Amino acid sequence: MPLALFVPPPIYHVHQQFNLLYQFWIHTETIGWLGPLEYIINTPSAHRVHHGRNRYCIDKNYGGTFIFFDILFGTYEAEKRDHLRDKVVFGLLHPIESRNPFYIQFCHWWYIITTIWNRPGLTNKLKTLVYGPGWEPGTPRLGLLANQPDIHYPQPKYETPVPMWYSVYSIVHFAAVSVVNQIAHENRSTLSQFDIMVSIIFILATLTCLGSLFDKRWYAPYLELLRCFAVSCFLLYKLDLFQGFTFPVLIMFTTSAVIFATIILRHNSAMTKKVE
């Protein structure tokens, strides 16, 4: 925002897009150390550090295109080249073990709110808002690195074993999400607010339900049954939505609803027999 006082918005947006394009080639593990360039521009090696969870990677290498600003302000850290021990582990210090998009978006806000609530004194509560995420009372502004997890490669990934048909099912329904997103984007100037809102709800509901299935939540089949049933009813209400493709899409969602209704009935039947 302060740039708006000095840089015309068109120039800012053009440079922002150039910076975004530049990011493409630095997100790779294929390219190694680039010698003197490492101290001038942002390179794949420097950017790997930025995304790392290792202690030496925390709060380092913020530069988008040039890295010498990090060198000037003391936030530069070169990638360690002992890959057997110090290979960069990508991700968050405290991984989010969920595929629910709503949880992923709001879990850290909830963490901030609960942390502020539990901190003693008004001063400490205000410091929680403006100091680093690792700050605790009695520590420097950014917290103590020694208090953070000491992470080394390799680290286990969040994985939940699911049947193969889950993957096939999710690919099919994610393709439907992609189509709806593309249609909504291309026709955003002519679609009604109701249609746009329905598209947004459909996309969010699909991502949430598929995430819950892969998280193996007990309520996931119920959510997916409700989603497929609701979409089927909506398609019956608007049979001209996809022109000649509406009926095949309706069959797909109706079949999906039947599949999950069957899964729920079988599960409940098995639980009843187990109790008896």
Side-chain angles (χ1 to χ4, degrees):
M1 291 301 291
L3 285 176
L5 299 175
F6 308 100
V7 180
I11 295 177
Y12 167 77
H13 286 296
V14 167
H15 282 78
Q16 185 185 40
Q17 294 305 309
F18 279 137
N19 178 70
L20 185 62
L21 289 172
Y22 185 86
Q23 300 297 307
F24 180 80
W25 80 284
I26 62 177
H27 287 88
T28 179
E29 292 186 86
T30 304
I31 302 173
W33 182 262
L34 295 180
L37 285 177
E38 296 289 342
Y39 304 102
I40 303 172
I41 61 173
N42 194 10
T43 64
S45 177
H47 204 59
R48 286 194 288 269
V49 173
H50 172 75
H51 284 289
R53 297 166 56 194
N54 315 57
R55 279 187 177 176
Y56 83 92
C57 299
I58 305 302
D59 297 327
K60 300 296 182 181
N61 300 359
Y62 292 103
T65 303
F66 296 106
I67 205 68
F68 54 75
F69 291 108
D70 285 286
I71 297 174
L72 288 173
F73 292 104
T75 54
Y76 174 75
E77 187 71 42
E79 181 181 26
K80 294 184 179 180
R81 284 179 263 181
D82 182 2
H83 291 291
L84 294 178
R85 171 171 171 76
D86 292 310
K87 183 176 180 180
V88 174
V89 181
F90 302 115
L92 304 175
L93 272 176
H94 306 282
I96 301 174
E97 296 188 344
S98 174
R99 297 180 179 88
N100 185 317
F102 287 98
Y103 178 79
I104 293 171
Q105 288 294 324
F106 296 110
C107 67
H108 194 67
W109 288 102
W110 179 249
Y111 168 78
I112 293 173
I113 291 170
T114 54
T115 301
I116 292 173
W117 180 266
N118 294 323
R119 287 268 159 85
L122 179 61
T123 302
N124 287 329
K125 294 181 187 296
L126 293 175
K127 285 181 178 179
T128 303
L129 284 173
V130 297
Y131 280 14
W135 177 82
E136 295 178 358
T139 64
R141 183 177 64 85
L142 297 179
L144 293 173
L145 199 58
N147 292 345
Q148 305 304 324
D150 190 13
I151 294 172
H152 296 278
Y153 183 86
Q155 288 289 315
K157 295 182 179 180
Y158 174 61
E159 294 181 334
T160 49
V162 295
M164 178 60 71
W165 73 268
Y166 269 35
S167 299
V168 177
Y169 180 88
S170 67
I171 290 172
V172 172
H173 282 267
F174 194 80
V177 166
S178 300
V179 171
V180 170
N181 181 68
Q182 187 67 22
I183 292 173
H185 178 72
E186 291 179 352
N187 300 279
R188 61 188 182 279
S189 59
T190 58
L191 287 174
S192 67
Q193 289 186 345
F194 174 77
D195 290 336
I196 292 176
M197 185 59 64
V198 168
S199 301
I200 293 172
I201 292 172
F202 170 75
I203 292 171
L204 291 177
T206 303
L207 296 179
T208 301
C209 290
L210 294 181
S212 299
L213 286 173
F214 278 85
D215 284 337
K216 300 182 75 171
R217 306 298 184 190
W218 67 268
Y219 52 80
Y222 296 91
L223 275 182
E224 184 62 6
L225 171 60
L226 178 62
R227 182 185 75 91
C228 293
F229 179 76
V231 173
S232 299
C233 292
F234 181 76
L235 290 174
L236 286 172
Y237 167 69
K238 298 197 73 171
L239 285 173
D240 61 338
L241 184 64
F242 296 109
Q243 298 177 356
F245 295 98
T246 302
F247 189 66
V249 174
L250 175 61
I251 291 176
M252 182 185 81
F253 279 96
T254 304
T255 304
S256 299
V258 171
I259 290 172
F260 280 94
T262 304
I263 291 173
I264 292 170
L265 289 174
R266 286 184 176 180
H267 175 75
N268 291 342
S269 176
M271 293 298 293
T272 302
K273 290 180 180 179
K274 188 175 180 180
V275 171
E276 293 176 352

